């Protein structure tokens, strides 16, 4: 996803106002909705194709196989995970997480979020990467912890055991989304 965003940024700089620019703007608006938790405010009553998908916590384990397939098929939008329509966690690709993690390191954390951890073995004291089947069992508990203000996270492994998806507190992801350097520049 990060490569796709960088490609969009380069193409939008080369041809401002073109299709890449529009796609990048739509994606950035999606990130903004994720950051603001806008799941039905007056400004976004129109359904846009780039709106971040929302999954209720009670449905997450059942939806996770399809969500994983969507990411594998190239879906870029983060998934918002919540309770009763109120987002509390974000489910994102590991590629996007790596970009946000680097921003968190560069900023040395914020008042709203710590420096995002890398999973083991990349970080000795980071969270473990868990197999997909274990993630199905753990996602509800992780989201429950997040709903109680705990900094619980879940790194979900792909078939080769590498991190593929990350479930994290939405407030932690929001703290760094605005600092991603993806804005097109005027030519």
């Amino acid at each position: 996803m990060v490569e796709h965003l960088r490609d969009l940024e380069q193409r939008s700089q080369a041809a401002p106002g073109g299709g890449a620019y529009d796609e990048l703007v739509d994606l950035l608006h999606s990130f903004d909705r994720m950051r603001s938790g806008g799941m039905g405010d007056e400004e976004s009553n129109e359904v846009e194709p780039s709106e971040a998908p929302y999954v209720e916590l009670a449905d997450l384990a059942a939806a996770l196989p399809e969500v994983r397939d969507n990411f594998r098929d190239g879906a870029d939008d983060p998934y918002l995970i919540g309770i009763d329509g109120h987002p509390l966690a974000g489910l994102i690709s590991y590629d996007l997480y790596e970009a946000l993690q680097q921003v968190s390191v560069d900023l040395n954390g914020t008042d709203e979020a710590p420096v995002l951890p890398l999973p083991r073995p990349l970080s000795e004291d980071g969270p473990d990467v868990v197999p997909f089947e274990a993630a199905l069992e753990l996602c509800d508990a992780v989201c429950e912890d997040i709903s109680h203000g705990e900094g619980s996270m879940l790194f979900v492994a792909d078939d080769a055991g590498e991190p593929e998806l990350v479930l994290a507190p939405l407030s932690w992801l929001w703290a760094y989304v605005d600092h991603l350097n993806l804005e097109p520049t005027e030519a």
Side-chain angles (χ1 to χ4, degrees):
M1 175 172 172
V2 173
E3 289 177 21
H4 177 67
L5 291 171
R6 288 187 179 131
D7 178 59
L8 285 175
E9 178 183 22
Q10 289 174 348
R11 290 187 304 160
S12 67
Q13 288 174 357
Y21 176 81
D22 293 338
E23 185 178 344
L24 182 60
V25 168
D26 287 345
L27 193 53
L28 291 172
H29 284 293
S30 176
F31 283 136
D32 188 49
R33 278 191 302 279
M34 180 182 85
R35 181 182 50 79
S36 65
M39 293 303 300
D41 57 1
E42 291 82 38
E43 283 186 16
S44 64
N45 281 339
E46 301 170 18
V47 177
E48 296 179 17
S50 63
E51 184 173 313
Y54 176 84
V55 177
E56 274 291 316
L57 174 57
D59 302 326
L60 181 57
L64 202 53
E66 182 179 337
V67 169
R68 178 183 64 175
D69 289 344
N70 288 342
F71 277 114
R72 286 180 174 179
D73 289 340
D76 290 330
D77 288 339
Y79 280 75
L80 303 177
I81 312 302
I83 299 174
D84 297 327
H86 300 290
L88 59 98
L91 182 64
I92 61 175
S93 70
Y94 185 71
D95 290 339
L96 176 57
Y97 181 82
E98 281 183 311
L100 294 172
Q101 194 278 335
Q102 184 59 54
V103 169
S104 78
V105 168
D106 293 347
L107 295 175
N108 198 28
T110 68
D111 292 340
E112 299 83 27
V115 171
L116 298 174
L118 287 172
R120 287 181 214 178
L122 298 173
S123 173
E124 189 175 298
D125 56 349
D128 289 321
V129 178
V130 300
F132 185 75
E133 294 74 25
L136 292 172
E137 300 296 323
L138 293 172
C139 59
D140 284 356
V142 169
C143 286
E144 284 294 329
D145 286 350
I146 292 170
S147 73
H148 297 298
E150 298 178 32
S152 209
M153 296 181 70
L154 182 62
F155 288 87
V156 182
D158 63 13
D159 298 333
E162 297 296 318
E164 178 176 34
L165 301 174
V166 180
L167 180 66
L170 194 54
S171 61
W172 288 9
L173 302 176
W174 286 344
Y176 301 113
V177 165
D178 285 342
H179 299 281
L180 286 174
N181 187 18
L182 300 173
E183 290 291 334
T185 59
E186 295 294 321

